[in-house]
């Protein structure tokens, strides 16, 4: 059973309140909450695109496998050359092997966190099968964070049917956990279940918490509003998300703002400016990669297309 303090830390991470987490004062190193809190704080830094800060948090001489794993994930995300990325992935693979050993002094929660962090890196690297296997897909795992990541991976490869299957399996033992509700909202957001109403209601409920500040939740609710045709309300959420992020939009918010700008009253100049900003600041964002690839394919096909001669009049 987690302490009340660690429960709040996990809740903040799950709901995307990353800025609140990185500003958190860590427990005393002798506290049982120290290592797991440090892991979530490091993950929050990574989510805020500050992998160097995450790696610097972890003591160099730590023997905790979960801390080793989060440091490896931070190094993977922050690496700029393939060799360094491959080295970090191999380190995570070695840790996954290590936690299977009988003589390792680690709790089940620490081992589960290693799998989650390794699975995250494998998914980012495009190693989908390895990520799913590491996370224990199709097994009797009772690690709800692993299930949440499995669901996100399935949604990312357009398999909402498999995502819902994992969700239904987890519902049998996870009851009404906050993360279960978030998983359901994510599936609803992708599939349009109930016209996005349930997903919108979940995000709105969480945003009503006065002690929580989460640009991610605002962006998620804004997307549901956009999909429901509530363009003005969506833009308001995106603007508030940027405000809570110190005036800097993350990739997801900027992409949503670009889509919103292209709808409703015609403001193509605004949409073009936002798209230019998105491609410049986040060139590896999936939407940018996808549309850039399609544009290049179109241009290539155009060069190969031969205009047939005009038929002469009889």
């Amino acid at each position: 059973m987690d302490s009340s303090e660690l429960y709040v830390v996990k809740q903040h991470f799950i709901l995307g309140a990353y800025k609140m987490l990185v500003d958190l004062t860590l427990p005393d190193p002798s506290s049982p909450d120290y290592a797991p809190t440090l892991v979530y704080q490091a993950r929050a830094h990574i989510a805020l695109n500050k992998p160097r800060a995450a790696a610097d948090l972890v003591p160099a001489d730590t023997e905790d496998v979960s801390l080793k794993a989060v440091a490896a994930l931070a190094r993977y995300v922050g690496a700029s050359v393939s060799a360094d990325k491959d080295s970090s992935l191999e380190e995570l693979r070695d840790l996954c092997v290590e936690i299977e050993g009988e003589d390792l002094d680690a709790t089940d929660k620490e081992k589960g966190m290693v799998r989650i962090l390794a699975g995250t890196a494998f998914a980012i690297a495009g190693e989908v099968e390895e990520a799913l296997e590491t996370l224990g897909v199709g097994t009797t795992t009772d690690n709800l964070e692993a299930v949440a990541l499995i669901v996100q991976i399935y949604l990312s490869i357009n398999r909402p049917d498999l995502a819902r299957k994992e969700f239904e399996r987890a519902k049998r033992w996870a009851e009404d956990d906050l993360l279960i509700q978030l998983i359901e909202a994510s599936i609803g957001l992708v599939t349009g279940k109930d016209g996005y109403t349930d997903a919108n209601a979940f995000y709105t409920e969480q945003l009503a918490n006065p002690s929580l500040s989460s640009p991610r939740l605002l962006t998620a609710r804004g997307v549901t509003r956009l999909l429901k045709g509530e363009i003005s309300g969506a833009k308001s959420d995106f603007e508030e998300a940027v405000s809570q992020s110190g005036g800097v939009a993350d990739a997801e918010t900027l992409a949503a703002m670009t889509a919103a700008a292209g709808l409703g009253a015609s403001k193509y100049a605004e949409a073009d400016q936002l798209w230019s900003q998105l491609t410049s600041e986040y060139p590896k964002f999936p939407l940018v990669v996808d549309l850039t690839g399609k544009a290049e394919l179109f241009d290539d096909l155009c060069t190969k297309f031969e205009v047939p001669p005009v038929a002469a009049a009889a």
Side-chain angles (χ1 to χ4, degrees):
M1 178 71 71
D2 294 330
S3 68
S4 58
E5 292 80 7
L6 184 56
Y7 173 81
V8 172
V9 167
K10 292 174 68 173
Q11 182 185 53
H12 279 32
F13 181 81
I14 288 167
L15 295 177
Y18 304 130
K19 184 65 170 60
M20 299 178 73
L21 271 184
V22 299
D23 292 338
L24 188 70
T25 300
L26 285 167
D28 186 272
S30 63
S31 168
D33 286 349
Y34 173 74
T37 301
L38 182 54
V39 168
Y40 281 108
Q41 192 173 68
R43 292 173 74 188
H45 275 293
I46 295 171
L48 291 171
N49 199 30
K50 298 178 180 178
R52 180 64 178 271
D56 289 345
L57 277 177
V58 181
D61 59 349
T62 184
E63 292 299 322
D64 186 300
V65 287
S66 63
L67 289 177
K68 288 181 180 180
V70 79
L73 174 61
R75 286 192 290 272
Y76 171 77
V77 173
S80 56
V81 296
S82 297
D84 291 339
K85 286 186 175 293
D86 291 343
S87 176
S88 296
L89 290 179
E90 283 305 313
E91 185 177 353
L92 287 164
R93 291 187 180 104
D94 289 343
L95 284 170
C96 288
V97 172
E98 184 179 346
I99 61 175
E100 297 300 326
E102 296 181 358
D103 57 346
L104 179 67
D105 183 18
T107 66
D108 287 341
K109 286 186 177 181
E110 290 167 348
K111 294 177 182 179
M113 183 57 69
V114 170
R115 296 186 183 97
I116 290 167
L117 295 166
T120 300
F122 300 151
I124 296 172
E127 302 292 343
V128 174
E129 291 186 8
E130 185 175 15
L132 292 173
E133 182 180 353
T134 300
L135 294 165
V137 67
T139 68
T140 56
T141 178
D142 59 354
N143 190 321
L144 197 51
E145 276 201 67
V147 174
L149 187 51
I150 289 170
V151 167
Q152 290 298 325
I153 292 172
Y154 277 141
L155 292 177
S156 74
I157 60 173
N158 298 315
R159 291 303 307 266
D161 55 323
L162 297 178
R164 180 161 290 281
K165 183 178 179 180
E166 289 295 325
F167 165 68
E168 294 294 344
R169 181 186 291 117
K171 269 205 313 184
R172 300 182 193 133
W173 53 266
E175 299 179 346
D176 197 30
D177 188 281
L178 177 66
L179 190 47
I180 271 288
Q181 297 177 54
L182 180 60
I183 292 170
E184 185 172 28
S186 299
I187 295 173
L189 186 61
V190 171
T191 62
K193 183 177 180 295
D194 299 316
Y196 308 107
T197 300
D198 288 350
N200 182 277
F202 171 77
Y203 299 133
T204 299
E205 179 184 358
Q206 301 309 317
L207 286 166
N209 184 346
S211 64
L212 185 72
S213 175
S214 174
R216 292 296 181 97
L217 278 178
L218 280 163
T219 296
R221 186 177 69 176
V223 171
T224 64
R225 286 178 162 180
L226 197 61
L227 292 168
K228 286 162 63 70
E230 301 170 5
I231 299 173
S232 177
K235 289 183 175 181
S236 177
D237 278 344
F238 301 147
E239 290 169 2
E240 179 61 23
V242 173
S243 176
Q244 288 189 11
S245 298
V248 179
D250 62 17
E252 290 80 5
T253 305
L254 191 53
M257 291 171 65
T258 304
L263 299 173
S266 297
K267 293 184 179 179
Y268 298 118
E270 179 185 357
D272 286 344
Q273 185 273 325
L274 289 169
W275 174 251
S276 177
Q277 183 181 349
L278 179 65
T279 57
S280 173
E281 296 180 7
Y282 304 101
K284 295 182 180 179
F285 187 66
L287 178 64
V288 175
V289 173
D290 183 47
L291 291 185
T292 301
K294 286 183 170 62
E296 292 174 351
L297 178 60
F298 179 81
D299 291 342
D300 182 55
L301 290 173
C302 284
T303 63
K304 298 176 181 178
F305 180 74
E306 295 184 6
V307 180
V310 178

